[in-house]
Amino acid sequence: MELKKNPRANVGRNSSLFFAVGLNVMLLLTYLGLEHKTYEKEAVKIDLLMLEDQIDEDIPITVIDVLPPPPPPQQQVVTEVITIVEDVEEIEETVIQSTEIGQDDTIDEREVGIEEVEVIEVEEDVEVPFAVIEKVPRFPGCTGNNAELKACFERKIQEHLQKNFRYPAAAAELDISGKVYVFFLIDKTGTVTNVKSRGPAQILEAEAERIINLLPKMEPGRQRDMNVGVPYSIPINFRLERN
């Protein structure tokens, strides 16, 4: 004999659904409990203010005695005595003439002669590079054409450097060496001027300028039959020889 079971009588058939609904309800209640906000309410005490009948007080009237202002001081009346003086001296009127020129005024035209104009000649310092000058500066003892004078000039400069070269003792102690570039100008009188240098140390630059300042006076360079300044530059190598 088979047992017949009514599916509606099964209590646990919807247990999972009830569990999920109950869990959601509990989560909702927990969320509402956590998010619920409360505010402190201050106790307000309300009292009734009972006003009694106001008592009218009679305020006495105070009279202030105000002294009258003092009378103004008596003003002294000054009488002006007019003395009539007879005109004895005659005054000459000074007429101030205007320096402005009007339309009706004539202007004196003056002719200026050429002999009255003073012409001042301004000498310009012209500088021509050593490589393109028509006649290079002549070093004492050099002769020949322009090419020979140029080669002799460079040779004499090298001899002058070798003759007057002196390594600075302070630079040798500090182990300072390097190449110094010296720039100078042979002006239109043949004098060496504007000596400048650029190198690794000031000690070497000072020594290089000292050597160049010892150059003798030369015959100035010429360009278009006119004495001109000639700039020149040369490197001086300061090198320590180690044994």
Side-chain angles (χ1 to χ4, degrees):
M1 183 177 178
E2 295 181 359
L3 296 176
K4 295 182 178 180
K5 188 176 181 179
N6 189 359
R8 295 182 179 179
N10 188 5
V11 181
R13 63 174 182 169
N14 294 325
S15 60
S16 59
L17 177 62
F18 294 151
F19 176 76
V21 173
L23 181 60
N24 290 331
V25 172
M26 291 302 295
L27 291 175
L28 179 61
L29 293 176
T30 303
Y31 175 76
L32 293 176
L34 293 175
E35 294 295 329
H36 181 66
K37 296 181 181 180
T38 59
Y39 301 93
E40 295 182 358
K41 296 182 179 180
E42 296 181 357
V44 180
K45 185 177 181 180
I46 302 175
D47 294 334
L48 295 177
L49 180 62
M50 302 300 293
L51 298 176
E52 298 179 356
D53 295 337
Q54 296 181 358
I55 301 174
D56 295 334
E57 294 182 1
D58 294 334
I59 300 174
I61 300 173
T62 304
V63 179
I64 301 175
D65 296 334
V66 179
L67 298 177
Q74 295 181 357
Q75 298 180 355
Q76 297 180 358
V77 179
V78 179
T79 58
E80 184 178 356
V81 178
I82 301 174
T83 304
I84 300 175
V85 179
E86 296 181 358
D87 294 336
V88 179
E89 298 180 359
E90 295 182 358
I91 300 174
E92 296 181 0
E93 295 183 358
T94 304
V95 179
I96 301 175
Q97 296 181 356
S98 176
T99 57
E100 296 182 357
I101 299 174
Q103 296 181 354
D104 299 332
D105 297 336
T106 58
I107 301 174
D108 296 337
E109 296 182 358
R110 179 187 176 191
E111 296 182 358
V112 180
I114 299 176
E115 61 276 0
E116 298 181 11
V117 179
E118 183 179 358
V119 180
I120 300 175
E121 296 182 359
V122 179
E123 296 183 359
E124 297 182 359
D125 294 335
V126 181
E127 297 181 4
V128 181
F130 184 84
V132 297
I133 192 170
E134 295 177 356
K135 185 178 181 181
V136 299
R138 188 169 65 86
F139 203 95
C142 294
T143 56
N145 54 22
N146 193 52
E148 293 174 350
L149 290 175
K150 185 181 296 186
C152 181
F153 178 89
E154 295 176 350
R155 185 175 64 254
K156 291 289 186 180
I157 289 289
Q158 294 296 331
E159 293 176 357
H160 175 80
L161 295 179
Q162 294 176 1
K163 178 182 178 181
N164 297 278
F165 182 82
R166 184 180 61 192
Y167 207 100
E173 293 177 0
L174 297 175
D175 196 15
I176 299 176
S177 60
K179 185 177 292 186
V180 179
Y181 293 90
V182 187
F183 308 90
F184 59 94
L185 174 71
I186 305 171
D187 62 9
K188 58 184 179 181
T189 63
T191 307
V192 176
T193 59
N194 298 338
V195 181
K196 300 178 182 179
S197 61
R198 184 180 62 195
Q202 187 176 2
I203 303 175
L204 302 182
E205 292 177 355
E207 177 61 20
E209 293 179 6
R210 184 192 69 84
I211 298 173
I212 297 301
N213 284 323
L214 295 177
L215 286 171
K217 188 175 181 179
M218 313 174 195
E219 184 178 333
R222 295 182 64 82
Q223 184 78 10
R224 296 181 181 178
D225 296 333
M226 182 177 63
N227 293 349
V228 294
V230 180
Y232 194 81
S233 64
I234 184 172
I236 301 177
N237 191 14
F238 289 84
R239 183 175 58 187
L240 289 172
E241 295 183 358
R242 304 181 184 277
N243 296 329

